[in-house]
Amino acid sequence: MENFDAIIIGGGSAGLAAAVALGRSRRSVLVIDTNRPRNVRASHAHNILGQEGINPQHLLERGRNEAEHYGARIIVEQAEKLSGSVKDGFTVETGNSKYSASRIVLATGLVDNLAEIPGLAEAWGISAIHCAYCHGWEVRDQAIAILGIGPMSTHQALLFAQLSGRVIFINHQPGSLAAENRATLEKLEVPIVESRVANLRVDGGGQLEGIELGNGEQLEAQAVVVASRMNANAGLYQQLGGTLQEHPLGTFIQVSDMGATGIPGVYAAGNVANLGAMVMAAAASGTVAGAALNAELALENISSQSHTTHA
Ligand SMILES: Cc1cc2nc3c(=O)[nH]c(=O)nc-3n(C[C@H](O)[C@H](O)[C@H](O)COP(=O)(O)OP(=O)(O)OC[C@H]3O[C@@H](n4cnc5c(N)ncnc54)[C@H](O)[C@@H]3O)c2cc1C
């Protein structure tokens, strides 16, 4: 079985940044990735300093080239099983092979669970958007409908009202709109539509054409803003006995400032550990986890040498 200093599971921004940090420290690195980053449906990535508006796949292609330049090996496979410990070493199994490593970085991202509204999945990432910093500028001044479904919805209204004077709030799940949030919407002068959404009319390219309400009314809107429930893609961590932290917006793996999880030898970076991390924050946390892992291995090397010397 091939052995590596580190196996990184997930080759998005977080995983590839960890691979670059480790490769540059002359660590042997395997990245196992299914290449389905969270923003796969977006054509541009924004708030990427120095690469503003880059196509997300081009960004990752550059990251893969950089990681490979420093010796990382990248395979397109799904990691299915993770076992072992820091004492005995870790084993990762894919459908085809088994690999072992001294340390693991989990950079598997999260899953956006969407409300079950016809048309929403088709529009997701194109005209059904969640993040003012990712898509807000692109929909400035447009007719924007905020889907009122939970704790994030009023916050989204606050941010999108900064970008357009044509924002409405559809109270899809009335029980989730607290009195203070209703007051916030009133202060923002965002009209509240008291109906659920029955259907989003979407063209073949994912562009919203209109909204059909439960009360039969039709609304014109060019974008719908919707919060997903964000659940860490953390089945492998759970296989090792790790538990997930609950958050009002989903679940995540708790890590230290340096990316260490509660399981010795296992690091986590990016969205799997921080639901709010955008691309640059995910990459930054990958660099930090890679650096911390490298330092841990370096200390382990000298401590095993001193044991040998005194024996
Ligand atoms: C529609 C949309 C648009 C966005 N736009 C922006 C934007 O403009 N700017 C911005 O900064 N942020 C944006 N984001 C957020 C951005 O997608 C995340 O910040 C970023 O993807 C997090 O990087 P990550 O490496 O943590 O996870 P991901 O990019 O999701 O990468 C995780 C990787 O792990 C792989 N993987 C998972 N499980 C396994 C497994 N078991 N075996 C092997 N591989 C596995 C996946 O295939 C994937 O390649 C957007 C998000 C969405 C949903």
Side-chain angles (χ1 to χ4, degrees), residues 10 13-14 33-36 38-39 46 79 108 134 270-271 277-279:
S13 303
D33 182 40
T34 43
N35 195 17
R36 291 287 301 166
R38 184 182 170 208
N39 55 350
H46 297 285
T108 42
C134 307
N271 273 166
M278 293 172 61
V279 166

Side-chain angles (χ1 to χ4, degrees), residues 38 110-113 130 149-153 155-156 227-232 245-252 275-276:
R38 184 182 170 208
L110 61 76
V111 177
D112 286 293
N113 291 119
H130 70 298
I149 52 169
M152 265 305 275
S153 307
H155 183 66
Q156 289 174 319
S228 62
R229 183 159 174 84
M230 299 178 283
N231 287 320
Q245 293 294 308
E246 288 291 331
H247 183 280
L249 304 177
T251 54
F252 65 100
L275 303 180

